[in-house]
Amino acid sequence: MTTIATDGRTMSSDGLVTSNGTIFGTTFAKIAKLKDGRIAGSAGSAFDITPFHDWLEGSGDFPNVEENFDALVIYPDGSCRSFDGKGRSVPEQVPTACGSGRELAIGAMMAGASPKRAIKIASSRDCCTGGKITTLTVGK
């Protein structure tokens, strides 16, 4: 899957893309800054990320995503919402994370790690997290 981590100001993700045990890439961008300043990060199928980000930008109905889809969106005011595969969202307390390395990343941030460091820590123990780490900050 992947790991996305945020402290409410910064969001980081890994870049690993796999399918059935085969690595397809290690630099895939799973987070994006939206036009209104929000930052969105998605875990699940790489094919679902762009349609989800397009939906957040106001492009049509919620996309048909894979069952294991999970996403986080941070807002310029520091708040965060978690989205499921049906487009439903709930407020999320930060620091938080989503994806296969969620618990590892949250634990790392609770112990003082930045979101980027939390992804690095998650990648050391979660076989579905790895590759290049991308980090974006609200307002920059």
Side-chain angles (χ1 to χ4, degrees), residues 1-3 14-28 30 43-47 49 66 68 100 126-131:
M1 191 188 243
T2 197
T3 305
D14 71 309
L16 185 65
V17 177
T18 63
S19 179
N20 296 319
T22 300
I23 296 172
F24 285 89
T26 58
T27 61
F28 191 80
K30 300 173 186 178
S45 172
F47 296 106
I49 295 172
E66 298 285 329
N68 64 349
S100 56
D126 175 40
C127 64
C128 295
T129 300

Side-chain angles (χ1 to χ4, degrees), residues 50-110:
T50 300
F52 174 70
H53 293 170
D54 290 347
W55 174 75
L56 286 171
E57 293 278 26
S59 179
D61 295 329
F62 189 78
N64 183 19
V65 297
E66 298 285 329
E67 186 176 317
N68 64 349
F69 181 85
D70 195 11
L72 293 172
V73 177
I74 55 174
Y75 295 78
D77 67 2
S79 64
C80 179
R81 295 192 72 83
S82 176
F83 287 79
D84 70 6
K86 294 181 180 179
R88 300 175 299 192
S89 72
V90 294
E92 186 92 36
Q93 182 178 343
V94 293
T96 192
C98 69
S100 56
R102 173 185 168 97
E103 288 79 13
L104 292 162
I106 291 173
M109 289 186 291
M110 294 297 291

